[in-house]
mmCIF file of all heavy atoms in Angstrom:
data_model
loop_
_atom_site.group_PDB
_atom_site.id
_atom_site.type_symbol
_atom_site.label_atom_id
_atom_site.label_comp_id
_atom_site.label_asym_id
_atom_site.label_seq_id
_atom_site.Cartn_x
_atom_site.Cartn_y
_atom_site.Cartn_z
ATOM 1 N N GLU A 25 5.408 -7.372 -6.475
ATOM 2 C CA GLU A 25 6.184 -8.564 -6.854
ATOM 3 C C GLU A 25 5.621 -9.816 -6.188
ATOM 4 O O GLU A 25 5.464 -10.857 -6.830
ATOM 5 C CB GLU A 25 7.648 -8.368 -6.477
ATOM 6 C CG GLU A 25 8.363 -7.342 -7.342
ATOM 7 C CD GLU A 25 9.758 -7.025 -6.852
ATOM 8 O OE1 GLU A 25 10.273 -7.732 -5.956
ATOM 9 O OE2 GLU A 25 10.340 -6.052 -7.374
ATOM 10 N N ALA A 26 5.317 -9.723 -4.893
ATOM 11 C CA ALA A 26 4.760 -10.874 -4.173
ATOM 12 C C ALA A 26 3.384 -11.244 -4.732
ATOM 13 O O ALA A 26 3.060 -12.423 -4.870
ATOM 14 C CB ALA A 26 4.673 -10.564 -2.676
ATOM 15 N N TYR A 27 2.578 -10.239 -5.076
ATOM 16 C CA TYR A 27 1.273 -10.495 -5.688
ATOM 17 C C TYR A 27 1.443 -11.262 -6.993
ATOM 18 O O TYR A 27 0.712 -12.227 -7.246
ATOM 19 C CB TYR A 27 0.542 -9.173 -5.927
ATOM 20 C CG TYR A 27 -0.767 -9.320 -6.646
ATOM 21 C CD1 TYR A 27 -1.907 -9.731 -5.975
ATOM 22 C CD2 TYR A 27 -0.872 -9.048 -8.010
ATOM 23 C CE1 TYR A 27 -3.125 -9.872 -6.640
ATOM 24 C CE2 TYR A 27 -2.070 -9.186 -8.677
ATOM 25 C CZ TYR A 27 -3.188 -9.603 -7.994
ATOM 26 O OH TYR A 27 -4.380 -9.748 -8.655
ATOM 27 N N GLY A 28 2.410 -10.863 -7.790
ATOM 28 C CA GLY A 28 2.675 -11.546 -9.059
ATOM 29 C C GLY A 28 3.081 -12.997 -8.876
ATOM 30 O O GLY A 28 2.824 -13.835 -9.738
ATOM 31 N N ARG A 29 3.702 -13.297 -7.736
ATOM 32 C CA ARG A 29 4.096 -14.682 -7.422
ATOM 33 C C ARG A 29 2.997 -15.420 -6.656
ATOM 34 O O ARG A 29 3.206 -16.548 -6.211
ATOM 35 C CB ARG A 29 5.388 -14.683 -6.602
ATOM 36 C CG ARG A 29 6.615 -14.193 -7.352
ATOM 37 C CD ARG A 29 7.906 -14.406 -6.558
ATOM 38 N NE ARG A 29 7.868 -13.801 -5.231
ATOM 39 C CZ ARG A 29 8.257 -12.553 -4.931
ATOM 40 N NH1 ARG A 29 8.722 -11.769 -5.891
ATOM 41 N NH2 ARG A 29 8.196 -12.108 -3.705
ATOM 42 N N LYS A 30 1.847 -14.760 -6.492
ATOM 43 C CA LYS A 30 0.699 -15.312 -5.765
ATOM 44 C C LYS A 30 1.015 -15.593 -4.295
ATOM 45 O O LYS A 30 0.430 -16.482 -3.677
ATOM 46 C CB LYS A 30 0.148 -16.561 -6.464
ATOM 47 C CG LYS A 30 -0.370 -16.262 -7.853
ATOM 48 C CD LYS A 30 -0.995 -17.453 -8.499
ATOM 49 C CE LYS A 30 -1.484 -17.064 -9.892
ATOM 50 N NZ LYS A 30 -2.155 -18.146 -10.573
ATOM 51 N N GLN A 31 1.916 -14.800 -3.742
ATOM 52 C CA GLN A 31 2.259 -14.876 -2.319
ATOM 53 C C GLN A 31 1.453 -13.786 -1.608
ATOM 54 O O GLN A 31 1.975 -12.761 -1.191
ATOM 55 C CB GLN A 31 3.762 -14.694 -2.118
ATOM 56 C CG GLN A 31 4.580 -15.787 -2.760
ATOM 57 C CD GLN A 31 6.076 -15.514 -2.710
ATOM 58 O OE1 GLN A 31 6.517 -14.383 -2.549
ATOM 59 N NE2 GLN A 31 6.859 -16.566 -2.863
ATOM 60 N N TYR A 32 0.156 -14.030 -1.508
ATOM 61 C CA TYR A 32 -0.766 -12.992 -1.069
ATOM 62 C C TYR A 32 -0.554 -12.503 0.364
ATOM 63 O O TYR A 32 -0.610 -11.295 0.588
ATOM 64 C CB TYR A 32 -2.206 -13.437 -1.303
ATOM 65 C CG TYR A 32 -2.469 -13.794 -2.754
ATOM 66 C CD1 TYR A 32 -3.027 -15.012 -3.097
ATOM 67 C CD2 TYR A 32 -2.125 -12.921 -3.789
ATOM 68 C CE1 TYR A 32 -3.259 -15.353 -4.427
ATOM 69 C CE2 TYR A 32 -2.351 -13.246 -5.114
ATOM 70 C CZ TYR A 32 -2.914 -14.472 -5.429
ATOM 71 O OH TYR A 32 -3.130 -14.800 -6.733
ATOM 72 N N PRO A 33 -0.292 -13.381 1.338
ATOM 73 C CA PRO A 33 -0.040 -12.853 2.685
ATOM 74 C C PRO A 33 1.187 -11.924 2.732
ATOM 75 O O PRO A 33 1.154 -10.879 3.381
ATOM 76 C CB PRO A 33 0.159 -14.110 3.534
ATOM 77 C CG PRO A 33 -0.606 -15.171 2.802
ATOM 78 C CD PRO A 33 -0.393 -14.845 1.337
ATOM 79 N N THR A 34 2.235 -12.295 2.014
ATOM 80 C CA THR A 34 3.433 -11.456 1.952
ATOM 81 C C THR A 34 3.119 -10.137 1.258
ATOM 82 O O THR A 34 3.556 -9.066 1.705
ATOM 83 C CB THR A 34 4.562 -12.201 1.210
ATOM 84 O OG1 THR A 34 4.838 -13.418 1.910
ATOM 85 C CG2 THR A 34 5.821 -11.366 1.101
ATOM 86 N N ALA A 35 2.358 -10.212 0.187
ATOM 87 C CA ALA A 35 1.976 -9.007 -0.546
ATOM 88 C C ALA A 35 1.144 -8.084 0.336
ATOM 89 O O ALA A 35 1.343 -6.862 0.330
ATOM 90 C CB ALA A 35 1.196 -9.384 -1.803
ATOM 91 N N LEU A 36 0.230 -8.663 1.108
ATOM 92 C CA LEU A 36 -0.618 -7.859 1.985
ATOM 93 C C LEU A 36 0.210 -7.167 3.061
ATOM 94 O O LEU A 36 0.008 -5.985 3.338
ATOM 95 C CB LEU A 36 -1.712 -8.729 2.612
ATOM 96 C CG LEU A 36 -2.718 -8.007 3.488
ATOM 97 C CD1 LEU A 36 -3.454 -6.917 2.714
ATOM 98 C CD2 LEU A 36 -3.706 -9.003 4.088
#
Side-chain angles (χ1 to χ4, degrees):
E25 289 173 11
Y27 176 79
R29 293 188 305 270
K30 298 184 180 182
Q31 297 173 339
Y32 303 127
T34 301
L36 183 59

